């Protein structure tokens, strides 16, 4: 999933630590939402929602329908600003490769979105269905159910899901640290190489 360059969402900034928008960005998003709300009901129906996502992302029609159904969990055929805001944060997190951070910071709302039938448990099918949003790899999914399905029912309750988010966040931070160290070594190597080429007299 990619945001289309030049679309409205392209210019919003998602805080990398908390995966939330600034107040200024939220105000702009509210105005944008009201522009999209042509029926003046403070909601977006499935048609408006489709055209919005089709305009700002490269999602396919069936993916857009899946996202709409996920957000319209009470099946009224519309979503309000709260769901719209959550979607925009998910899209921005995905675009900025902050999926693990987002799931960690917002584990309860993400769990509730993935819990399609309201049973307070989520199975592998839920993750497969929304993989294009949260970018959870098959290997991660196998590890998730192998390591964190404490009850052994192939379903995760919220506590098991929360443990997964903490573990994923730790692994994400380790990868970030390794990447920074690699970059620092490359810079030091480049600087020392330049110093050897141009010795000071």
């Amino acid at each position: 999933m990619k945001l289309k360059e030049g679309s409205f969402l392209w210019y919003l900034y998602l805080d990398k630590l908390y995966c939330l928008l600034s107040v200024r960005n939220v105000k702009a998003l509210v105005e944008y939402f009201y522009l999209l709300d042509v029926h003046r009901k403070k909601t977006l129906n499935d048609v408006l929602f489709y055209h919005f996502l089709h305009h700002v992302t490269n999602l396919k029609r069936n993916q857009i329908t899946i996202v709409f159904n996920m957000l319209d969990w009470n099946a009224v055929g519309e979503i309000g600003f709260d769901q719209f805001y959550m979607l925009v944060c998910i899209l921005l997190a995905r675009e900025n490769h902050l999926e693990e951070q987002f799931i960690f910071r917002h584990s309860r709302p993400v769990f509730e979105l993935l819990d399609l039938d309201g049973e307070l448990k989520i199975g592998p099918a839920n993750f497969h269905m929304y993989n294009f949003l949260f970018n959870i790899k098959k290997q991660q999914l196998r590890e998730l159910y192998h390591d964190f399905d404490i009850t052994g029912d192939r379903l995760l309750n919220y506590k098991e899901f929360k443990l997964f988010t903490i573990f994923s966040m730790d692994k994400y931070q380790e990868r970030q640290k390794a990447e920074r160290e690699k970059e620092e070594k490359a810079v030091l190597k480049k600087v020392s190489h330049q110093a050897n080429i141009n010795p000071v007299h």
Side-chain angles (χ1 to χ4, degrees):
M1 193 282 315
K2 285 280 196 199
L3 288 180
K4 291 183 180 172
E5 193 169 339
S7 68
F8 175 74
L9 298 187
W10 187 262
Y11 299 101
L12 296 179
Y13 172 75
L14 186 75
D15 178 76
K16 288 179 175 34
L17 182 60
Y18 296 105
C19 293
L20 295 170
L21 296 176
S22 69
V23 174
R24 178 179 292 163
N25 281 316
V26 171
K27 287 173 80 174
L29 191 63
V30 167
E31 291 300 319
Y32 187 69
F33 181 79
Y34 288 136
L35 287 173
L36 293 172
D37 176 24
V38 296
H39 302 296
R40 302 292 175 240
K41 295 173 66 179
K42 297 184 181 174
T43 60
L44 298 180
N45 63 24
D46 57 342
V47 175
L48 295 170
F49 185 82
Y50 168 79
H51 286 290
F52 159 70
L53 270 185
H54 181 70
H55 176 70
V56 300
T57 70
N58 66 350
L59 291 176
K60 297 173 181 74
R61 179 180 291 275
N62 65 329
Q63 292 173 319
I64 294 172
T65 302
I66 288 169
V67 173
F68 182 80
N69 292 335
M70 173 185 74
L71 295 170
D72 181 28
W73 53 269
N74 53 2
V76 296
E78 300 171 328
I79 64 158
F81 181 75
D82 291 345
Q83 292 93 349
F84 184 73
Y85 175 76
M86 175 66 109
L87 171 66
V88 168
C89 289
I90 291 170
L91 295 174
L92 291 172
R94 178 78 165 92
E95 183 69 23
N96 293 297
H97 310 289
L98 297 170
E99 299 93 336
E100 291 102 339
Q101 180 83 356
F102 183 85
I103 293 171
F104 173 73
R105 290 289 179 187
H106 307 288
S107 59
R108 176 62 78 178
V110 169
F111 180 83
E112 289 171 357
L113 287 174
L114 293 174
D115 180 22
L116 302 175
D117 29 9
E119 294 180 354
L120 303 178
K121 293 185 178 235
I122 52 178
N126 304 57
F127 284 104
H128 285 298
M129 187 180 295
Y130 301 113
N131 186 40
F132 62 93
L133 282 180
F134 297 108
N135 196 27
I136 296 175
K137 309 277 187 289
K138 286 184 180 181
Q139 182 60 32
Q140 276 182 297
L141 198 57
R142 276 194 286 277
E143 290 173 8
L144 166 65
Y145 282 92
H146 180 267
D147 297 340
F148 298 100
D149 181 20
I150 299 166
T151 57
D153 58 359
R154 297 282 300 153
L155 298 169
L156 295 181
N157 60 33
Y158 177 68
K159 288 181 182 178
E160 293 167 334
F161 180 73
K162 183 65 178 173
L163 284 173
F164 162 70
T165 65
I166 292 168
F167 178 75
S168 293
M169 194 61 212
D170 286 345
K171 285 179 80 172
Y172 172 75
Q173 288 173 337
E174 286 172 12
R175 281 194 316 269
Q176 294 291 96
K177 183 179 177 184
E179 286 175 17
R180 276 194 306 273
E181 288 173 357
K182 186 177 176 182
E183 288 173 6
E184 288 172 5
K185 285 180 183 178
V187 168
L188 287 174
K189 187 176 181 180
K190 186 177 179 180
V191 168
S192 67
H193 179 69
Q194 287 177 345
N196 291 336
I197 293 173
N198 303 321
V200 178
H201 296 290

